[in-house]
Structures are given as C-alpha cells and as structure tokens.
C-alpha cells in the first residue's frame, strides 16, 4: 500500500514538471481514512485469527475507533474537489503540491517523495512498461 502511494506522489510530481509549460495543473491527493466498505473482509480475518469472544471485542473496538477517526465519504471528497476546481489553486496555477484532508497543503516525506531521481526513474519505467504492454496493439 505504501509503495503504491509513493508511486502516486512520484508520478504526479514528475507529470507536474513535464506539463508545467502547458497550463496543466497536477496535484497529489491523500483522501485520508474514509469510512467505506474497503475493509469489509477484515471481520472474517479477525474471526479466523482469534477466539470468538476476543474477536467480537476486537471488532467492536476497531469499529468504534475507526468510525470516530475516519472521514465520511462526502467530507473526504472535499480535498479532491478543492484540488480540481479550487479557485485559489487555479488562480495561482498551483501544481506539484500534496494535499490531505481536508484540503490542506502538506509536504510528503522529503527523503522519497521529493527525490527527483526516483520521479524520473518511475516515469521512464512506466513508459517502458506501457510500450511493452501495448506493442501488440500496433
């Protein structure tokens, strides 16, 4: 999961650099924890791993904690909407930035996310993989 999120940030920042002169804005969004059905199989895993009474208590605790900490989907969507159509971002032509809930600019881990070598290498790897996978369609 963490590697896919890092790849999203690296790719978006490289795309922002490559399209800077074309009036294309590219920003990275972290929606935060969103109360969806994404963890719907967690109950089954807990039931298999723990005795029934312990499993019930753990599931209740997890549900209580996560429901208090997670964003409702309508609130979580605000960050994406802000990055897409936020008047201040559009007016300032903000690109290559990272936003997390709710619509707050943040700086991702500098060691990896802002590593221009990794950004370029991921872009080149992506081009190579796309070329390989689509060569049969030419």
């Amino acid at each position: 999961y963490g590697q896919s999120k890092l790849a999203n940030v690296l790719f978006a920042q490289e795309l922002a650099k490559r399209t800077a002169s074309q009036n294309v804005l590219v920003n990275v969004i972290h929606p935060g924890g969103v109360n969806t059905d994404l963890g719907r199989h967690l109950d089954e895993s807990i039931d298999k791993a723990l005795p029934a009474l312990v499993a019930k208590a753990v599931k209740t605790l997890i549900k209580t904690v996560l429901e208090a900490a997670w964003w409702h989907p309508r609130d979580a969507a605000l960050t994406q909407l802000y990055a897409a159509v936020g008047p201040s971002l559009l007016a300032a032509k903000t690109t290559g930035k990272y936003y997390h809930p709710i619509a707050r600019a943040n700086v991702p881990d500098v060691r990896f996310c802002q590593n221009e070598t990794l950004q370029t290498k991921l872009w080149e790897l992506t081009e190579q993989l796309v070329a390989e996978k689509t060569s049969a369609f030419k």
Side-chain angles (χ1 to χ4, degrees):
Y1 178 82
Q3 289 176 337
S4 70
K5 296 302 134 197
L6 173 60
N8 287 342
V9 174
L10 293 171
F11 193 89
Q13 290 181 334
E14 183 68 18
L15 179 60
K17 284 188 295 193
R18 289 173 181 255
T19 60
S21 65
Q22 299 169 26
N23 201 28
V24 174
L25 305 181
V26 181
N27 291 297
V28 184
I29 310 304
H30 183 309
V34 183
N35 192 359
T36 65
D37 285 339
L38 190 59
R40 64 189 171 278
H41 303 295
L42 183 60
D43 283 353
E44 184 179 316
S45 298
I46 292 171
D47 288 337
K48 287 180 181 178
L50 300 171
L53 188 59
V54 175
K56 183 176 180 180
V58 167
K59 289 187 291 189
T60 300
L61 177 63
I62 289 172
K63 182 178 179 181
T64 302
V65 170
L66 292 181
E67 283 182 355
W70 282 2
W71 297 98
H72 186 280
R74 91 177 149 256
D75 298 325
L78 293 174
T79 304
Q80 287 86 328
L81 290 170
Y82 175 72
V85 297
S88 62
L89 296 184
L90 297 175
K93 298 187 184 293
T94 302
T95 192
K97 301 299 180 189
Y98 178 81
Y99 292 89
H100 67 103
I102 288 181
R104 294 180 290 173
N106 197 352
V107 177
D109 189 325
V110 176
R111 294 172 297 159
F112 301 111
C113 293
Q114 295 181 348
N115 183 318
E116 292 189 16
T117 301
L118 287 177
Q119 293 168 8
T120 302
K121 285 185 179 205
L122 177 62
W123 187 275
E124 291 168 353
L125 176 62
T126 302
E127 285 181 327
Q128 175 188 339
L129 291 172
V130 168
E132 288 173 9
K133 299 295 180 183
T134 60
S135 63
F137 300 111
K138 293 181 182 179

